[in-house]
Amino acid sequence: MRPIRFRELEEKIGYTFSDKNKLFLAMTHSSYANEHKGRKKENNERLEFLGDAVLEVTVSDYLFHQYPDYAEGKLTKLRSSLVCEFTLAICARDVQLGSYLLLSKGEDMTGGRERDSILSDAFEALIGAIYLDGGIEKAGDFIRNHLLKDVEDKSLFYDAKTILQEMVQSGGNGALRYHLIRETGPDHNKEFTVETQIGEERYAVGVGKTKKGAEQVAAYETILLLKKGQKAGGGTDEKTSR
């Protein structure tokens, strides 16, 4: 990765690394490390482990102080919606993290740069790298700027199907249906594509490793469209959840 690529990413995330090697390691997927002899241990998995811990305590602290009237159960549910794979992948896409990842040729060719699991892991690894390079305050600033800036929208994902059903029932525009568009891949690695329909109108598309997961993504995207007063109009961009 050329130095200018580092600068581009640093500008997008709003943090400049003192040690560029930490950023390089955060962007190194295990597939890339395995593909290069002598580098099997030089991947972002350990940083991901650290970033996950920093993320959980930062989000917990934020929610504890931001929502003083919430009971423990409600705080836990809200935190779960914010630190889940789907939400972190959204944040990773916001800064185009996929385009900076170091992947094996095979992983790259099979869509690894857009895979939710890879993107969410890289986002956590980036948090870990910022923590090591700049401390807990800088890591916290990054999390607040890129994850906690729109908590209300992100928190919808956890109960998306229930929330959407309630919105549709109160709107009176027809019944809500989830239509399976396609099912691809071998039995051990299926991918489902589901579209929401309200009455005769098509809304959003969701993709997931299970039908239920795809429905949840489609429901979440539909909620966002309804909140903005929009309809699919015959098609939408697909959002992927893996």
Side-chain angles (χ1 to χ4, degrees), residues 152-184:
E152 288 188 8
D153 279 351
K154 291 188 174 77
S155 66
L156 294 173
F157 180 71
Y158 197 82
D159 285 326
K161 292 183 70 176
T162 301
I163 293 170
L164 178 59
Q165 185 64 48
E166 292 172 352
M167 291 175 71
V168 171
Q169 288 175 345
S170 65
N173 293 319
L176 168 66
R177 295 188 300 275
Y178 294 92
H179 174 59
L180 180 63
I181 297 175
R182 60 180 172 270
E183 179 181 332
T184 59

PDB file of all heavy atoms in Angstrom, residues 152-184:
ATOM      1  N   GLU A 152     -29.908   6.597  16.805  1.00  0.00           N
ATOM      2  CA  GLU A 152     -31.310   6.237  16.618  1.00  0.00           C
ATOM      3  C   GLU A 152     -31.523   5.392  15.366  1.00  0.00           C
ATOM      4  O   GLU A 152     -32.228   4.386  15.387  1.00  0.00           O
ATOM      5  CB  GLU A 152     -32.170   7.501  16.552  1.00  0.00           C
ATOM      6  CG  GLU A 152     -32.319   8.192  17.897  1.00  0.00           C
ATOM      7  CD  GLU A 152     -33.318   9.319  17.847  1.00  0.00           C
ATOM      8  OE1 GLU A 152     -34.001   9.457  16.811  1.00  0.00           O
ATOM      9  OE2 GLU A 152     -33.428  10.041  18.850  1.00  0.00           O
ATOM     10  N   ASP A 153     -30.907   5.779  14.253  1.00  0.00           N
ATOM     11  CA  ASP A 153     -31.051   5.004  13.021  1.00  0.00           C
ATOM     12  C   ASP A 153     -30.393   3.636  13.152  1.00  0.00           C
ATOM     13  O   ASP A 153     -30.960   2.613  12.754  1.00  0.00           O
ATOM     14  CB  ASP A 153     -30.435   5.746  11.832  1.00  0.00           C
ATOM     15  CG  ASP A 153     -31.380   6.801  11.271  1.00  0.00           C
ATOM     16  OD1 ASP A 153     -32.554   6.822  11.690  1.00  0.00           O
ATOM     17  OD2 ASP A 153     -30.947   7.595  10.431  1.00  0.00           O
ATOM     18  N   LYS A 154     -29.196   3.607  13.716  1.00  0.00           N
ATOM     19  CA  LYS A 154     -28.464   2.338  13.822  1.00  0.00           C
ATOM     20  C   LYS A 154     -29.159   1.372  14.793  1.00  0.00           C
ATOM     21  O   LYS A 154     -29.123   0.160  14.592  1.00  0.00           O
ATOM     22  CB  LYS A 154     -27.023   2.591  14.270  1.00  0.00           C
ATOM     23  CG  LYS A 154     -26.169   3.285  13.210  1.00  0.00           C
ATOM     24  CD  LYS A 154     -24.721   3.338  13.638  1.00  0.00           C
ATOM     25  CE  LYS A 154     -23.827   3.887  12.519  1.00  0.00           C
ATOM     26  NZ  LYS A 154     -23.912   5.327  12.393  1.00  0.00           N
ATOM     27  N   SER A 155     -29.798   1.902  15.819  1.00  0.00           N
ATOM     28  CA  SER A 155     -30.435   1.042  16.811  1.00  0.00           C
ATOM     29  C   SER A 155     -31.681   0.353  16.258  1.00  0.00           C
ATOM     30  O   SER A 155     -32.161  -0.623  16.831  1.00  0.00           O
ATOM     31  CB  SER A 155     -30.807   1.855  18.053  1.00  0.00           C
ATOM     32  OG  SER A 155     -31.810   2.809  17.750  1.00  0.00           O
ATOM     33  N   LEU A 156     -32.185   0.835  15.138  1.00  0.00           N
ATOM     34  CA  LEU A 156     -33.380   0.243  14.544  1.00  0.00           C
ATOM     35  C   LEU A 156     -33.146  -1.181  14.060  1.00  0.00           C
ATOM     36  O   LEU A 156     -34.066  -1.990  13.985  1.00  0.00           O
ATOM     37  CB  LEU A 156     -33.850   1.090  13.344  1.00  0.00           C
ATOM     38  CG  LEU A 156     -34.355   2.495  13.635  1.00  0.00           C
ATOM     39  CD1 LEU A 156     -34.606   3.227  12.332  1.00  0.00           C
ATOM     40  CD2 LEU A 156     -35.614   2.449  14.467  1.00  0.00           C
ATOM     41  N   PHE A 157     -31.917  -1.512  13.720  1.00  0.00           N
ATOM     42  CA  PHE A 157     -31.635  -2.801  13.085  1.00  0.00           C
ATOM     43  C   PHE A 157     -31.997  -3.976  13.979  1.00  0.00           C
ATOM     44  O   PHE A 157     -32.502  -5.003  13.499  1.00  0.00           O
ATOM     45  CB  PHE A 157     -30.153  -2.881  12.696  1.00  0.00           C
ATOM     46  CG  PHE A 157     -29.795  -4.181  12.026  1.00  0.00           C
ATOM     47  CD1 PHE A 157     -30.236  -4.450  10.744  1.00  0.00           C
ATOM     48  CD2 PHE A 157     -29.026  -5.129  12.672  1.00  0.00           C
ATOM     49  CE1 PHE A 157     -29.919  -5.644  10.114  1.00  0.00           C
ATOM     50  CE2 PHE A 157     -28.703  -6.327  12.066  1.00  0.00           C
ATOM     51  CZ  PHE A 157     -29.147  -6.583  10.780  1.00  0.00           C
ATOM     52  N   TYR A 158     -31.775  -3.863  15.255  1.00  0.00           N
ATOM     53  CA  TYR A 158     -31.969  -4.986  16.177  1.00  0.00           C
ATOM     54  C   TYR A 158     -33.408  -5.510  16.138  1.00  0.00           C
ATOM     55  O   TYR A 158     -33.646  -6.712  16.146  1.00  0.00           O
ATOM     56  CB  TYR A 158     -31.603  -4.550  17.597  1.00  0.00           C
ATOM     57  CG  TYR A 158     -31.376  -5.698  18.548  1.00  0.00           C
ATOM     58  CD1 TYR A 158     -30.146  -6.353  18.582  1.00  0.00           C
ATOM     59  CD2 TYR A 158     -32.379  -6.121  19.405  1.00  0.00           C
ATOM     60  CE1 TYR A 158     -29.929  -7.407  19.451  1.00  0.00           C
ATOM     61  CE2 TYR A 158     -32.164  -7.177  20.283  1.00  0.00           C
ATOM     62  CZ  TYR A 158     -30.941  -7.815  20.297  1.00  0.00           C
ATOM     63  OH  TYR A 158     -30.716  -8.859  21.149  1.00  0.00           O
ATOM     64  N   ASP A 159     -34.382  -4.605  16.084  1.00  0.00           N
ATOM     65  CA  ASP A 159     -35.803  -4.979  16.054  1.00  0.00           C
ATOM     66  C   ASP A 159     -36.461  -4.549  14.753  1.00  0.00           C
ATOM     67  O   ASP A 159     -37.644  -4.204  14.720  1.00  0.00           O
ATOM     68  CB  ASP A 159     -36.544  -4.325  17.235  1.00  0.00           C
ATOM     69  CG  ASP A 159     -36.243  -5.002  18.550  1.00  0.00           C
ATOM     70  OD1 ASP A 159     -36.050  -6.226  18.551  1.00  0.00           O
ATOM     71  OD2 ASP A 159     -36.199  -4.309  19.574  1.00  0.00           O
ATOM     72  N   ALA A 160     -35.708  -4.584  13.672  1.00  0.00           N
ATOM     73  CA  ALA A 160     -36.178  -4.024  12.405  1.00  0.00           C
ATOM     74  C   ALA A 160     -37.496  -4.628  11.930  1.00  0.00           C
ATOM     75  O   ALA A 160     -38.411  -3.908  11.512  1.00  0.00           O
ATOM     76  CB  ALA A 160     -35.109  -4.190  11.332  1.00  0.00           C
ATOM     77  N   LYS A 161     -37.633  -5.933  11.989  1.00  0.00           N
ATOM     78  CA  LYS A 161     -38.842  -6.567  11.456  1.00  0.00           C
ATOM     79  C   LYS A 161     -40.075  -6.192  12.284  1.00  0.00           C
ATOM     80  O   LYS A 161     -41.147  -5.925  11.727  1.00  0.00           O
ATOM     81  CB  LYS A 161     -38.667  -8.086  11.409  1.00  0.00           C
ATOM     82  CG  LYS A 161     -37.637  -8.536  10.381  1.00  0.00           C
ATOM     83  CD  LYS A 161     -37.520 -10.045  10.304  1.00  0.00           C
ATOM     84  CE  LYS A 161     -38.765 -10.660   9.695  1.00  0.00           C
ATOM     85  NZ  LYS A 161     -38.639 -12.121   9.515  1.00  0.00           N
ATOM     86  N   THR A 162     -39.925  -6.147  13.591  1.00  0.00           N
ATOM     87  CA  THR A 162     -41.033  -5.776  14.460  1.00  0.00           C
ATOM     88  C   THR A 162     -41.423  -4.310  14.256  1.00  0.00           C
ATOM     89  O   THR A 162     -42.613  -3.970  14.134  1.00  0.00           O
ATOM     90  CB  THR A 162     -40.671  -6.002  15.938  1.00  0.00           C
ATOM     91  OG1 THR A 162     -40.342  -7.372  16.135  1.00  0.00           O
ATOM     92  CG2 THR A 162     -41.817  -5.607  16.851  1.00  0.00           C
ATOM     93  N   ILE A 163     -40.409  -3.446  14.202  1.00  0.00           N
ATOM     94  CA  ILE A 163     -40.654  -2.012  14.008  1.00  0.00           C
ATOM     95  C   ILE A 163     -41.334  -1.756  12.669  1.00  0.00           C
ATOM     96  O   ILE A 163     -42.296  -0.990  12.572  1.00  0.00           O
ATOM     97  CB  ILE A 163     -39.333  -1.221  14.099  1.00  0.00           C
ATOM     98  CG1 ILE A 163     -38.771  -1.293  15.519  1.00  0.00           C
ATOM     99  CG2 ILE A 163     -39.542   0.235  13.690  1.00  0.00           C
ATOM    100  CD1 ILE A 163     -37.360  -0.742  15.653  1.00  0.00           C
ATOM    101  N   LEU A 164     -40.861  -2.432  11.622  1.00  0.00           N
ATOM    102  CA  LEU A 164     -41.448  -2.234  10.295  1.00  0.00           C
ATOM    103  C   LEU A 164     -42.897  -2.705  10.269  1.00  0.00           C
ATOM    104  O   LEU A 164     -43.761  -2.025   9.694  1.00  0.00           O
ATOM    105  CB  LEU A 164     -40.630  -2.978   9.241  1.00  0.00           C
ATOM    106  CG  LEU A 164     -41.169  -2.893   7.811  1.00  0.00           C
ATOM    107  CD1 LEU A 164     -41.250  -1.438   7.345  1.00  0.00           C
ATOM    108  CD2 LEU A 164     -40.289  -3.704   6.856  1.00  0.00           C
ATOM    109  N   GLN A 165     -43.180  -3.840  10.891  1.00  0.00           N
ATOM    110  CA  GLN A 165     -44.551  -4.349  10.928  1.00  0.00           C
ATOM    111  C   GLN A 165     -45.482  -3.342  11.595  1.00  0.00           C
ATOM    112  O   GLN A 165     -46.596  -3.085  11.108  1.00  0.00           O
ATOM    113  CB  GLN A 165     -44.588  -5.680  11.682  1.00  0.00           C
ATOM    114  CG  GLN A 165     -45.960  -6.360  11.683  1.00  0.00           C
ATOM    115  CD  GLN A 165     -46.405  -6.773  10.297  1.00  0.00           C
ATOM    116  OE1 GLN A 165     -45.645  -7.379   9.543  1.00  0.00           O
ATOM    117  NE2 GLN A 165     -47.639  -6.425   9.944  1.00  0.00           N
ATOM    118  N   GLU A 166     -45.017  -2.735  12.679  1.00  0.00           N
ATOM    119  CA  GLU A 166     -45.831  -1.743  13.385  1.00  0.00           C
ATOM    120  C   GLU A 166     -46.050  -0.499  12.524  1.00  0.00           C
ATOM    121  O   GLU A 166     -47.149   0.070  12.513  1.00  0.00           O
ATOM    122  CB  GLU A 166     -45.156  -1.366  14.708  1.00  0.00           C
ATOM    123  CG  GLU A 166     -45.136  -2.506  15.723  1.00  0.00           C
ATOM    124  CD  GLU A 166     -44.298  -2.189  16.949  1.00  0.00           C
ATOM    125  OE1 GLU A 166     -43.604  -1.142  16.938  1.00  0.00           O
ATOM    126  OE2 GLU A 166     -44.332  -2.971  17.918  1.00  0.00           O
ATOM    127  N   MET A 167     -45.006  -0.083  11.809  1.00  0.00           N
ATOM    128  CA  MET A 167     -45.126   1.089  10.934  1.00  0.00           C
ATOM    129  C   MET A 167     -46.131   0.832   9.808  1.00  0.00           C
ATOM    130  O   MET A 167     -46.945   1.693   9.470  1.00  0.00           O
ATOM    131  CB  MET A 167     -43.753   1.440  10.344  1.00  0.00           C
ATOM    132  CG  MET A 167     -42.750   1.983  11.339  1.00  0.00           C
ATOM    133  SD  MET A 167     -41.104   2.245  10.617  1.00  0.00           S
ATOM    134  CE  MET A 167     -41.418   3.675   9.570  1.00  0.00           C
ATOM    135  N   VAL A 168     -46.062  -0.353   9.227  1.00  0.00           N
ATOM    136  CA  VAL A 168     -46.954  -0.702   8.123  1.00  0.00           C
ATOM    137  C   VAL A 168     -48.402  -0.787   8.601  1.00  0.00           C
ATOM    138  O   VAL A 168     -49.327  -0.295   7.941  1.00  0.00           O
ATOM    139  CB  VAL A 168     -46.515  -2.038   7.476  1.00  0.00           C
ATOM    140  CG1 VAL A 168     -47.563  -2.518   6.475  1.00  0.00           C
ATOM    141  CG2 VAL A 168     -45.175  -1.873   6.786  1.00  0.00           C
ATOM    142  N   GLN A 169     -48.607  -1.398   9.754  1.00  0.00           N
ATOM    143  CA  GLN A 169     -49.967  -1.525  10.300  1.00  0.00           C
ATOM    144  C   GLN A 169     -50.591  -0.170  10.595  1.00  0.00           C
ATOM    145  O   GLN A 169     -51.779   0.048  10.356  1.00  0.00           O
ATOM    146  CB  GLN A 169     -49.937  -2.385  11.562  1.00  0.00           C
ATOM    147  CG  GLN A 169     -49.697  -3.865  11.279  1.00  0.00           C
ATOM    148  CD  GLN A 169     -49.556  -4.697  12.546  1.00  0.00           C
ATOM    149  OE1 GLN A 169     -49.359  -4.157  13.643  1.00  0.00           O
ATOM    150  NE2 GLN A 169     -49.643  -5.998  12.412  1.00  0.00           N
ATOM    151  N   SER A 170     -49.783   0.752  11.093  1.00  0.00           N
ATOM    152  CA  SER A 170     -50.298   2.082  11.410  1.00  0.00           C
ATOM    153  C   SER A 170     -50.483   2.941  10.164  1.00  0.00           C
ATOM    154  O   SER A 170     -51.280   3.881  10.163  1.00  0.00           O
ATOM    155  CB  SER A 170     -49.367   2.798  12.390  1.00  0.00           C
ATOM    156  OG  SER A 170     -48.095   3.036  11.791  1.00  0.00           O
ATOM    157  N   GLY A 171     -49.751   2.596   9.100  1.00  0.00           N
ATOM    158  CA  GLY A 171     -49.824   3.389   7.872  1.00  0.00           C
ATOM    159  C   GLY A 171     -51.012   3.058   7.000  1.00  0.00           C
ATOM    160  O   GLY A 171     -51.496   3.911   6.237  1.00  0.00           O
ATOM    161  N   GLY A 172     -51.476   1.822   7.072  1.00  0.00           N
ATOM    162  CA  GLY A 172     -52.653   1.428   6.295  1.00  0.00           C
ATOM    163  C   GLY A 172     -52.447   1.402   4.794  1.00  0.00           C
ATOM    164  O   GLY A 172     -53.388   1.659   4.028  1.00  0.00           O
ATOM    165  N   ASN A 173     -51.227   1.090   4.344  1.00  0.00           N
ATOM    166  CA  ASN A 173     -50.946   1.075   2.907  1.00  0.00           C
ATOM    167  C   ASN A 173     -50.865  -0.336   2.328  1.00  0.00           C
ATOM    168  O   ASN A 173     -50.344  -0.544   1.238  1.00  0.00           O
ATOM    169  CB  ASN A 173     -49.624   1.803   2.621  1.00  0.00           C
ATOM    170  CG  ASN A 173     -49.719   3.284   2.921  1.00  0.00           C
ATOM    171  OD1 ASN A 173     -50.731   3.918   2.623  1.00  0.00           O
ATOM    172  ND2 ASN A 173     -48.680   3.841   3.538  1.00  0.00           N
ATOM    173  N   GLY A 174     -51.373  -1.310   3.069  1.00  0.00           N
ATOM    174  CA  GLY A 174     -51.330  -2.677   2.556  1.00  0.00           C
ATOM    175  C   GLY A 174     -50.491  -3.571   3.446  1.00  0.00           C
ATOM    176  O   GLY A 174     -49.806  -3.115   4.361  1.00  0.00           O
ATOM    177  N   ALA A 175     -50.543  -4.862   3.134  1.00  0.00           N
ATOM    178  CA  ALA A 175     -49.822  -5.846   3.932  1.00  0.00           C
ATOM    179  C   ALA A 175     -48.335  -5.854   3.610  1.00  0.00           C
ATOM    180  O   ALA A 175     -47.918  -5.567   2.490  1.00  0.00           O
ATOM    181  CB  ALA A 175     -50.405  -7.232   3.689  1.00  0.00           C
ATOM    182  N   LEU A 176     -47.538  -6.193   4.619  1.00  0.00           N
ATOM    183  CA  LEU A 176     -46.085  -6.311   4.455  1.00  0.00           C
ATOM    184  C   LEU A 176     -45.745  -7.748   4.075  1.00  0.00           C
ATOM    185  O   LEU A 176     -46.190  -8.702   4.728  1.00  0.00           O
ATOM    186  CB  LEU A 176     -45.384  -5.928   5.759  1.00  0.00           C
ATOM    187  CG  LEU A 176     -43.889  -6.262   5.872  1.00  0.00           C
ATOM    188  CD1 LEU A 176     -43.081  -5.436   4.857  1.00  0.00           C
ATOM    189  CD2 LEU A 176     -43.398  -6.016   7.291  1.00  0.00           C
ATOM    190  N   ARG A 177     -44.931  -7.915   3.039  1.00  0.00           N
ATOM    191  CA  ARG A 177     -44.489  -9.238   2.623  1.00  0.00           C
ATOM    192  C   ARG A 177     -42.993  -9.212   2.357  1.00  0.00           C
ATOM    193  O   ARG A 177     -42.439  -8.187   1.932  1.00  0.00           O
ATOM    194  CB  ARG A 177     -45.216  -9.702   1.357  1.00  0.00           C
ATOM    195  CG  ARG A 177     -46.702  -9.904   1.527  1.00  0.00           C
ATOM    196  CD  ARG A 177     -47.333 -10.543   0.289  1.00  0.00           C
ATOM    197  NE  ARG A 177     -47.142  -9.720  -0.885  1.00  0.00           N
ATOM    198  CZ  ARG A 177     -47.940  -8.707  -1.223  1.00  0.00           C
ATOM    199  NH1 ARG A 177     -48.975  -8.397  -0.463  1.00  0.00           N
ATOM    200  NH2 ARG A 177     -47.715  -8.003  -2.310  1.00  0.00           N
ATOM    201  N   TYR A 178     -42.355 -10.348   2.600  1.00  0.00           N
ATOM    202  CA  TYR A 178     -40.945 -10.529   2.273  1.00  0.00           C
ATOM    203  C   TYR A 178     -40.866 -11.534   1.124  1.00  0.00           C
ATOM    204  O   TYR A 178     -41.296 -12.680   1.268  1.00  0.00           O
ATOM    205  CB  TYR A 178     -40.159 -11.047   3.481  1.00  0.00           C
ATOM    206  CG  TYR A 178     -40.093 -10.060   4.626  1.00  0.00           C
ATOM    207  CD1 TYR A 178     -41.042 -10.088   5.646  1.00  0.00           C
ATOM    208  CD2 TYR A 178     -39.091  -9.097   4.680  1.00  0.00           C
ATOM    209  CE1 TYR A 178     -40.987  -9.179   6.690  1.00  0.00           C
ATOM    210  CE2 TYR A 178     -39.026  -8.185   5.723  1.00  0.00           C
ATOM    211  CZ  TYR A 178     -39.981  -8.230   6.719  1.00  0.00           C
ATOM    212  OH  TYR A 178     -39.927  -7.318   7.757  1.00  0.00           O
ATOM    213  N   HIS A 179     -40.341 -11.080   0.008  1.00  0.00           N
ATOM    214  CA  HIS A 179     -40.306 -11.917  -1.194  1.00  0.00           C
ATOM    215  C   HIS A 179     -38.879 -12.391  -1.446  1.00  0.00           C
ATOM    216  O   HIS A 179     -37.956 -11.582  -1.593  1.00  0.00           O
ATOM    217  CB  HIS A 179     -40.801 -11.112  -2.401  1.00  0.00           C
ATOM    218  CG  HIS A 179     -40.677 -11.829  -3.703  1.00  0.00           C
ATOM    219  ND1 HIS A 179     -41.297 -13.037  -3.951  1.00  0.00           N
ATOM    220  CD2 HIS A 179     -40.011 -11.508  -4.836  1.00  0.00           C
ATOM    221  CE1 HIS A 179     -41.009 -13.427  -5.176  1.00  0.00           C
ATOM    222  NE2 HIS A 179     -40.223 -12.521  -5.725  1.00  0.00           N
ATOM    223  N   LEU A 180     -38.685 -13.706  -1.469  1.00  0.00           N
ATOM    224  CA  LEU A 180     -37.368 -14.279  -1.759  1.00  0.00           C
ATOM    225  C   LEU A 180     -37.088 -14.149  -3.248  1.00  0.00           C
ATOM    226  O   LEU A 180     -37.745 -14.780  -4.071  1.00  0.00           O
ATOM    227  CB  LEU A 180     -37.317 -15.744  -1.331  1.00  0.00           C
ATOM    228  CG  LEU A 180     -35.989 -16.479  -1.576  1.00  0.00           C
ATOM    229  CD1 LEU A 180     -34.853 -15.851  -0.760  1.00  0.00           C
ATOM    230  CD2 LEU A 180     -36.121 -17.962  -1.242  1.00  0.00           C
ATOM    231  N   ILE A 181     -36.103 -13.313  -3.591  1.00  0.00           N
ATOM    232  CA  ILE A 181     -35.765 -13.075  -4.995  1.00  0.00           C
ATOM    233  C   ILE A 181     -34.883 -14.180  -5.549  1.00  0.00           C
ATOM    234  O   ILE A 181     -35.099 -14.695  -6.645  1.00  0.00           O
ATOM    235  CB  ILE A 181     -35.059 -11.711  -5.160  1.00  0.00           C
ATOM    236  CG1 ILE A 181     -36.002 -10.580  -4.748  1.00  0.00           C
ATOM    237  CG2 ILE A 181     -34.589 -11.510  -6.602  1.00  0.00           C
ATOM    238  CD1 ILE A 181     -35.343  -9.214  -4.767  1.00  0.00           C
ATOM    239  N   ARG A 182     -33.862 -14.542  -4.782  1.00  0.00           N
ATOM    240  CA  ARG A 182     -32.979 -15.621  -5.228  1.00  0.00           C
ATOM    241  C   ARG A 182     -32.229 -16.224  -4.058  1.00  0.00           C
ATOM    242  O   ARG A 182     -32.102 -15.629  -3.002  1.00  0.00           O
ATOM    243  CB  ARG A 182     -32.000 -15.132  -6.297  1.00  0.00           C
ATOM    244  CG  ARG A 182     -31.082 -14.003  -5.874  1.00  0.00           C
ATOM    245  CD  ARG A 182     -30.153 -13.591  -7.020  1.00  0.00           C
ATOM    246  NE  ARG A 182     -29.398 -12.398  -6.687  1.00  0.00           N
ATOM    247  CZ  ARG A 182     -29.813 -11.165  -6.948  1.00  0.00           C
ATOM    248  NH1 ARG A 182     -30.976 -10.972  -7.547  1.00  0.00           N
ATOM    249  NH2 ARG A 182     -29.080 -10.123  -6.615  1.00  0.00           N
ATOM    250  N   GLU A 183     -31.753 -17.423  -4.319  1.00  0.00           N
ATOM    251  CA  GLU A 183     -30.974 -18.184  -3.350  1.00  0.00           C
ATOM    252  C   GLU A 183     -29.789 -18.778  -4.103  1.00  0.00           C
ATOM    253  O   GLU A 183     -29.967 -19.532  -5.061  1.00  0.00           O
ATOM    254  CB  GLU A 183     -31.841 -19.280  -2.749  1.00  0.00           C
ATOM    255  CG  GLU A 183     -31.155 -20.174  -1.748  1.00  0.00           C
ATOM    256  CD  GLU A 183     -32.088 -21.246  -1.217  1.00  0.00           C
ATOM    257  OE1 GLU A 183     -33.318 -21.005  -1.180  1.00  0.00           O
ATOM    258  OE2 GLU A 183     -31.588 -22.323  -0.849  1.00  0.00           O
ATOM    259  N   THR A 184     -28.583 -18.411  -3.711  1.00  0.00           N
ATOM    260  CA  THR A 184     -27.396 -18.842  -4.453  1.00  0.00           C
ATOM    261  C   THR A 184     -26.362 -19.474  -3.522  1.00  0.00           C
ATOM    262  O   THR A 184     -26.444 -19.351  -2.308  1.00  0.00           O
ATOM    263  CB  THR A 184     -26.739 -17.650  -5.181  1.00  0.00           C
ATOM    264  OG1 THR A 184     -26.375 -16.655  -4.202  1.00  0.00           O
ATOM    265  CG2 THR A 184     -27.683 -17.023  -6.194  1.00  0.00           C
TER     266      THR A 184
END
